[in-house]
């Protein structure tokens, strides 16, 4: 199953150093049966993209929690076998049973440098957005308007070197 794992730049550095990715609390997002049921229509590709966007929003939460985090959303796409569906948490949520080796990572999605200001602002107000603050929701939307760039796993060392 293709899973989308929220991450930070620091977590990418750990991936490069250790050769495996450890999802925070083992949480990921995927095209689950519950996600498919939540949408009236949509191709698999569109629903996978929705799961990726949920992971990108979770990345903002990780940035908010990480002191001195680089304000760029990161999502690691991986193909893993053993996941537990967690629709009790939200339709696309899955739980991994352990770390994901680099060999199972399909792609890494990262914000371009132009998004850092919007992502930093969103990280500052993400909790308020969850509580319905309209200004905070607007700031979150500004960050989510930026598309994530795509990198192959073998490009990770070069990407990190250029930061």
């Amino acid at each position: 199953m293709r899973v989308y794992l929220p991450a930070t730049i620091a977590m990418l550095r750990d991936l490069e150093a250790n050769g495996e990715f450890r999802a925070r609390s083992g949480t990921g997002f995927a095209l689950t049966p519950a996600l498919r049921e939540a949408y009236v229509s949509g191709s698999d590709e569109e629903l996978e993209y929705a799961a990726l966007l949920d992971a990108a929003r979770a990345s903002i939460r990780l940035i908010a929690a990480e002191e001195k985090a680089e304000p760029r959303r990161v999502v690691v796409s991986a193909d893993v076998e053993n996941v537990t569906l967690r629709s009790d948490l939200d339709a696309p949520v899955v739980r991994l049973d352990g770390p994901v080796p680099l060999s199972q990572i399909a792609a890494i999605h990262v914000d371009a440098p132009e998004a850092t200001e919007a992502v930093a602002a969103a990280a500052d107000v993400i909790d308020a957005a969850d509580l319905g603050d309209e200004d905070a929701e607007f700031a979150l939307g500004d960050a989510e308007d930026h598309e994530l760039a795509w990198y192959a796993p073998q490009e990770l060392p070069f990407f990190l070197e250029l930061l």
Side-chain angles (χ1 to χ4, degrees):
M1 170 182 275
R2 174 66 52 96
V3 295
Y4 301 95
L5 307 168
T8 63
I9 297 294
M11 293 170 79
L12 288 183
R13 291 185 196 287
D14 288 344
L15 168 61
E16 181 189 28
N18 301 318
E20 63 183 18
F21 181 82
R22 293 188 176 276
R24 185 75 48 93
S25 301
T27 300
F29 299 82
L31 172 49
T32 63
L35 180 63
R36 189 178 308 282
E37 287 177 19
Y39 283 83
V40 175
S41 65
S43 67
D44 282 358
E45 186 175 303
E46 291 167 325
L47 296 175
E48 293 257 356
Y49 187 65
L52 181 137
L53 293 179
D54 283 341
R57 180 170 283 203
S59 175
I60 294 173
R61 294 181 198 295
L62 294 176
I63 292 166
E66 190 177 286
E67 190 175 323
K68 298 182 182 178
E70 170 96 23
R72 292 169 77 171
R73 295 172 301 160
V74 176
V75 176
V76 174
S77 300
D79 296 315
V80 297
E81 296 297 320
N82 297 320
V83 299
T84 303
L85 302 179
R86 292 297 312 263
S87 57
D88 57 312
L89 297 176
D90 202 2
V93 177
V94 296
R95 187 77 41 151
L96 287 88
D97 65 356
V100 178
L102 186 58
S103 62
Q104 291 180 329
I105 293 176
I108 299 166
H109 311 270
V110 184
D111 271 318
E114 297 79 34
T116 58
E117 188 175 312
V119 171
D124 287 341
V125 299
I126 192 159
D127 290 335
D130 285 344
L131 297 173
D133 181 295
E134 289 182 15
D135 291 334
E137 289 174 6
F138 183 73
L140 190 57
D142 282 347
E144 292 176 336
D145 283 344
H146 292 272
E147 290 291 325
L148 297 171
W150 181 94
Y151 296 92
Q154 55 270 34
E155 294 177 292
L156 179 61
F158 308 107
F159 170 77
L160 292 173
E161 185 179 316
L162 294 173
L163 284 179

